[in-house]
Amino acid sequence: MSLVAFVYTLHVLSAVVWVGGMFFAWMILRPAVIAALEGPSRLKLWLQVFPRFFVWVWCAVVLLPVTGIGMIHLNFSGFQTAPRYVQVMMGLYVVMVALFLRISTLNLPQLRKAVAAEQWPDGVAALGRIRRLVGINLIVGIVVVAIAAMRPTF
Ligand code: HEM
């Protein structure tokens, strides 16, 4: 396997894990949890889910720019000559990381605190904020993957 192929594979797998994980959480796990569990148990389950998923998101957060910038140099010999869609990808990466940091450093500790204090309404509010931000990040992630796959010449 060539270096370019290895770096490209790592890049795509990172995107699959992050965007696919958000798709599963939002589209499948969320309605399943609502159907199967009542109030406090729902919050406790999400508190077990998020930290496990976020370890993998952190891997993607690190690997995407490292491999992406690697490919810019290997494929396009620099930022100036990289196509516009790669620059859009970098911009949307910053948006995705900002939303992820907000969830993991602000909303998740709020949820953890509320569950520890058995303040269920606060926990529901924190979970609602996480759900909204993950929903936005899922849409942004799908847009990035679609743009990357279509390689538009704008
Ligand atoms: C700093 C951040 C990023 C940089 C520098 C970057 C850079 C690149 C580059 C140079 C390519 C190869 C393009 C080509 O050969 O035509 C690529 C492909 C790709 N990127 Fe990114 N990327 C970044 C972030 C992301 C993010 C956040 C996602 C998705 C969540 C993503 C998903 C993809 C996918 C799926 C491809 C493969 C497209 C294809 O070959 O069909 N990238 N990226």
Side-chain angles (χ1 to χ4, degrees):
M1 194 203 287
S2 70
L3 178 64
V4 177
F6 177 70
V7 170
Y8 175 84
T9 304
L10 274 184
H11 192 81
V12 173
L13 284 178
S14 304
V16 166
V17 167
W18 191 357
V19 181
M22 290 193 293
F23 185 90
F24 176 77
W26 227 93
M27 304 298 287
I28 286 114
L29 191 55
R30 189 182 58 90
V33 168
I34 292 170
L37 298 176
E38 295 304 322
S41 322
R42 283 182 197 169
L43 301 178
K44 287 178 188 167
L45 178 96
W46 284 112
L47 211 46
Q48 293 296 320
V49 169
F50 290 131
R52 286 179 170 80
F53 178 46
F54 288 179
V55 171
W56 293 98
V57 176
W58 272 115
C59 295
V61 164
V62 173
L63 281 174
L64 281 168
V66 170
T67 53
I69 291 165
M71 279 193 289
I72 287 176
H73 290 287
L74 292 167
N75 297 356
F76 309 111
S77 64
F79 285 94
Q80 266 75 36
T81 43
R84 182 72 60 82
Y85 66 81
V86 170
Q87 285 158 14
V88 171
M89 203 185 293
M90 280 162 37
L92 292 178
Y93 165 83
V94 173
V95 173
M96 289 181 71
V97 172
L99 292 176
F100 170 64
L101 286 178
R102 193 179 166 88
I103 296 167
S104 61
T105 62
L106 187 73
N107 301 133
L108 185 60
Q110 285 171 345
L111 177 62
R112 193 174 280 130
K113 202 171 143 206
V115 169
E118 302 195 346
Q119 296 290 328
W120 308 123
D122 291 350
V124 171
L127 185 60
R129 286 190 286 274
I130 294 174
R131 183 183 60 227
R132 198 167 54 87
L133 292 180
V134 172
I136 296 169
N137 236 3
L138 173 58
I139 292 167
V140 178
I142 288 172
V143 167
V144 178
V145 172
I147 289 175
M150 288 188 283
R151 302 180 189 191
T153 49
F154 44 55

